[in-house]
């Protein structure tokens, strides 16, 4: 279908990333040093990111594009928490998109989630880059006598370095984790990694996302994967982990049930 969508001038774009927080829908990523539109599906074409660009490298164009899907966008939005939901709803309201706003509210109600009071909304930017000092947060008593065993079963673990023909991928139970998870969740090894083959990447900062999808397609097609578990952070940009895995499964024509876990910034399972 033909619709309005973001266009990025690569010659002007410096890859500063200032536009990223203004896209709560998760349609933009910095790839190979440039801002890229990673999916027509998530771009609503309203241009919230344009005003943030200091280089005037972004504009709206009308072209053939995959239809924007508010319900699929909301799947990622709600994972970011109340402030991200509010920012998204305000974004729709500010642009007079009552139809999309109502679809978003309907999604919240259908999933028994509270609809935020928009009058109390204060834009606070992207939760993924918001500063938070947790030095005084209680973490429990230190006990130097406790030794935790590593459950790591493969190397390398970064998806960029993984050989899709590696023997350890045969009939594997995959754990696909965002880079920040093991640092945020202290029991990562015992809770998630045991008996799993680990693949890690960052959907926001890594370059070459298309190559990640291609590599996962190769693995899903040739390695008889038994199960997939995803562990991601609560911030919106981390929703790209599931999107990338789902896209690879679709291309590989595989139907593997995904178990997804979300970790809060303060180290709890949501």
């Amino acid at each position: 279908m033909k619709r309005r969508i973001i266009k990025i001038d690569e010659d002007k774009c410096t890859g500063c990333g200032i536009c990223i927080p203004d896209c709560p829908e998760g349609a933009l990523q910095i790839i190979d040093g440039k801002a890229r539109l990673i999916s027509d599906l998530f771009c609503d074409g309203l241009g919230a990111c344009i005003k943030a660009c200091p280089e005037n490298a972004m504009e709206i164009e009308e072209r053939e594009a995959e239809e924007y899907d508010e319900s699929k966008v909301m799947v990622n939005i709600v994972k970011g928490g109340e402030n991200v939901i509010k920012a998204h709803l305000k974004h729709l309201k500010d642009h007079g998109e009552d139809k999309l706003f109502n679809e978003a509210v309907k999604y919240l109600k259908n999933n028994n989630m509270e609809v935020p009071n928009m009058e109390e909304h204060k834009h606070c930017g992207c939760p993924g880059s918001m500063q938070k000092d947790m030095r005084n947060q209680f973490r429990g008593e230190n006990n130097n006598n406790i030794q935790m065993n590593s459950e790591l079963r493969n190397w390398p673990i970064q998806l960029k370095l993984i050989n899709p023909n590696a023997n350890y991928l045969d009939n594997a139970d995959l754990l696909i984790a965002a880079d920040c998870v093991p640092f945020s969740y202290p029991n990562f090894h015992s809770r998630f990694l045991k008996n799993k083959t680990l693949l890690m990447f960052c959907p926001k900062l890594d370059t070459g996302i298309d190559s990640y999808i291609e590599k996962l397609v190769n693995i899903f097609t040739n390695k008889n994967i038994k199960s997939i578990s995803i562990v991601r952070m609560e911030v919106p940009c981390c929703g790209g982990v599931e999107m990338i895995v789902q896209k690879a499964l679709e291309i590989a024509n595989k139907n593997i049930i995904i178990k997804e876990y979300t970790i809060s910034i303060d180290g709890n399972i949501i």
Side-chain angles (χ1 to χ4, degrees), residues 29-31 157-160 176-181 199-209 212 233 235 237-241 244:
Q29 286 185 16
I30 301 299
I31 300 173
I157 57 177
Q158 289 289 340
L159 184 55
K160 187 180 289 291
I176 301 177
D179 283 356
C180 296
V181 169
L199 310 179
M200 294 182 63
F201 66 93
C202 176
K204 181 173 183 176
L205 301 180
D206 285 3
T207 59
I209 295 299
Y212 284 2
M233 298 300 297
V235 295
C237 54
C238 223
V241 176
I244 289 166

Side-chain angles (χ1 to χ4, degrees), residues 135-193:
R135 287 175 294 180
N136 295 323
Q137 185 170 315
F138 177 73
R139 295 288 182 179
E141 296 181 3
N142 292 325
N143 188 336
N144 293 329
N145 294 322
I146 296 176
Q147 182 170 344
M148 300 181 67
N149 295 322
S150 172
E151 298 291 347
L152 190 62
R153 296 156 56 93
N154 63 285
W155 190 266
I157 57 177
Q158 289 289 340
L159 184 55
K160 187 180 289 291
L161 302 177
I162 292 286
N163 179 354
N165 297 312
N167 291 335
Y168 56 72
L169 292 168
D170 291 329
N171 302 307
D173 292 296
L174 290 185
L175 176 64
I176 301 177
D179 283 356
C180 296
V181 169
F183 298 97
S184 305
Y185 189 74
N187 295 323
F188 176 76
H189 279 253
S190 59
R191 177 63 178 83
F192 295 115
L193 188 53

Side-chain angles (χ1 to χ4, degrees), residues 94-139:
D94 288 348
H95 287 84
E97 292 291 339
D98 292 336
K99 180 176 180 293
L100 295 180
F101 178 88
N102 291 333
E103 287 180 13
V105 170
K106 181 180 178 181
Y107 177 91
L108 294 173
K109 291 180 177 179
N110 287 346
N111 287 275
N112 298 316
M113 301 182 68
E114 183 178 354
V115 178
N117 182 351
M118 297 307 298
E119 293 182 359
E120 298 177 353
H121 171 73
K122 293 182 180 180
H123 181 67
C124 61
C126 174
S129 57
M130 187 186 304
Q131 296 184 41
K132 186 175 181 180
D133 189 338
M134 300 186 291
R135 287 175 294 180
N136 295 323
Q137 185 170 315
F138 177 73
R139 295 288 182 179

Side-chain angles (χ1 to χ4, degrees), residues 39 78 80 177 187 202 269:
S39 174
V78 298
N187 295 323
C202 176
I269 300 177

